[in-house]
Amino acid sequence: MQDDATPIQSRDGEVAAGIPVPHGCVVLAATPIGNTGDASLRLIALLQQADIVAAEDTRRLYDLARRLGVHVNGRVVANHDHNERQKADSLLDEVEGGATVLLVSDAGMPTINDPGLAIVRRAIERGLPVTCAPGPSAVLDALALAGLPTDRFCYEGFVPRKASDREQRLRSLHNEMRTMVFYEAPHRIDETMDALLAAFGPDRQMALCRELTKDYEQVRRGTIGQIRQGVIDDPPRGEIVLVLAGASAEDVNEASPEVLTAEQLARLAQERAKSEGVRIKDAIAEVVKEHPLPDGSFPNRKEVYQASLSLRDSA
């Protein structure tokens, strides 16, 4: 999510001078998700004092530093999804030599749908220290503003782009009892809302949060059906976080699918093929689609077909 471009009052080095910066350590630091004023003094101290700053986008890093009135004194390197595995060991060699390596993404906390995980995992393998300078989080911000239960929640990242993957993922979450948080881009919100409607029905409570912490921050609360209509009537702009209520215990008990064996599905398909006068393969395709597995996937058609052949041969 892009930072608010509004500059804030410049801060000199003395402001963060008393904040300790660890040496020989990887530091994951959260950067503002929208409002530059959310930057912590600890982030400022790290930007000033780190030996190396590994940034998702170096131009965005320097822009943030300018708006914070901070001079980045250490060496700046690009660390993004396409190169972080290759860079991990060279950066960690610096840590092993006593350097402070600061890892920042464009907005929010590194590793949360942003680069950083490869370095963290490699640091753990090498026994090198890793710590966090926590801060702004679009996930927690949206969760707090949605007005839905927060005692148990799960973060599902971006909704899959491919329609079949999206449908399977959402089907697998139909009985999820925790509040769910998703990221979405404005150009995909239409199809995602359609998919949510198909998977959860129109009455599940949710919130659509956009432009969090920015001047045009907006939180739309209501049912899936209401939010879907709102997306049609007034398409949202900016980066979006969706918060969806979990299923109730009653919903789960009513909706929990009965898992049928391949033989049971084959019998259903044979009955349908006979009663409707369709090919057995077409009947199997229909029956399989009507009986998704708990994880949202479908039974194996080939196994059901083989079971059908076995039943026919034994008849």
Side-chain angles (χ1 to χ4, degrees), residues 63-292:
D63 182 61
L64 174 63
R66 177 186 59 77
R67 287 183 281 116
L68 291 173
V70 173
H71 180 70
V72 179
N73 293 297
R75 177 162 57 94
V76 174
V77 299
N79 181 73
H80 45 73
D81 289 332
H82 303 294
N83 72 354
E84 69 167 333
R85 290 182 182 274
Q86 291 73 31
K87 283 187 173 290
D89 274 314
S90 62
L91 289 172
L92 294 174
D93 288 343
E94 300 281 357
V95 171
E96 201 163 35
T100 300
V101 173
L102 174 63
L103 190 62
V104 294
S105 58
D106 289 344
M109 177 60 72
T111 77
I112 309 299
N113 265 106
D114 278 328
L117 184 58
I119 292 177
V120 171
R121 284 180 169 171
R122 187 66 182 130
I124 293 170
E125 290 173 357
R126 292 180 55 168
L128 297 172
V130 182
T131 190
C132 279
S137 165
V139 173
L140 296 182
D141 193 346
L143 186 67
L145 294 173
L148 296 171
T150 59
D151 54 333
R152 297 179 67 227
F153 69 92
C154 59
Y155 171 58
E156 288 291 324
F158 279 95
V159 178
R161 297 184 182 187
K162 189 177 178 181
S164 58
D165 294 340
R166 182 168 57 245
E167 291 169 6
Q168 180 175 334
R169 169 79 66 81
L170 296 179
R171 279 199 310 269
S172 73
L173 294 170
H174 187 273
N175 291 341
E176 174 59 65
M177 299 179 71
R178 296 171 294 181
T179 298
M180 294 163 273
V181 184
F182 304 88
Y183 281 167
E184 193 49 282
H187 63 278
R188 290 197 298 269
I189 190 61
D190 281 339
E191 58 193 28
T192 293
M193 288 306 307
D194 286 342
L196 288 173
L197 187 65
F200 300 97
D203 299 325
R204 184 78 69 92
Q205 292 290 316
M206 69 169 297
L208 184 155
C209 310
R210 68 177 191 89
E211 297 290 85
L212 290 171
T213 78
K214 299 179 184 178
D215 290 342
Y216 296 101
E217 174 180 287
Q218 182 187 53
V219 180
R220 305 181 186 183
R221 304 177 183 89
T223 63
I224 290 177
Q226 291 168 338
I227 300 297
R228 176 68 189 98
Q229 189 60 49
V231 166
I232 295 172
D233 297 339
D234 181 17
R237 298 179 180 180
E239 299 295 340
I240 295 168
V241 185
L242 301 173
V243 186
L244 182 67
S248 67
E250 293 77 13
D251 291 337
V252 172
N253 290 333
E254 291 178 6
S256 293
E258 179 185 359
V259 178
L260 302 181
T261 65
E263 182 176 329
Q264 289 173 315
L265 292 169
R267 291 186 186 279
L268 289 176
Q270 287 180 340
E271 292 171 3
R272 178 167 300 185
K274 183 177 180 180
S275 64
E276 298 183 5
V278 298
R279 296 189 311 162
I280 186 63
K281 287 188 176 182
D282 294 333
I284 287 172
E286 293 176 2
V287 167
V288 163
K289 191 172 182 180
E290 292 167 1
H291 294 81

Side-chain angles (χ1 to χ4, degrees), residues 21-90:
V21 170
H23 298 288
C25 183
V26 176
V27 185
L28 310 177
T31 55
I33 62 174
N35 191 319
T36 309
D38 292 334
S40 69
L41 290 178
R42 191 174 175 199
L43 171 64
I44 292 171
L46 287 161
L47 288 172
Q48 291 172 335
Q49 301 178 47
D51 299 294
I52 300 171
V53 180
E56 183 178 6
D57 185 326
T58 57
R59 293 170 299 179
R60 294 282 295 276
L61 169 70
Y62 284 121
D63 182 61
L64 174 63
R66 177 186 59 77
R67 287 183 281 116
L68 291 173
V70 173
H71 180 70
V72 179
N73 293 297
R75 177 162 57 94
V76 174
V77 299
N79 181 73
H80 45 73
D81 289 332
H82 303 294
N83 72 354
E84 69 167 333
R85 290 182 182 274
Q86 291 73 31
K87 283 187 173 290
D89 274 314
S90 62

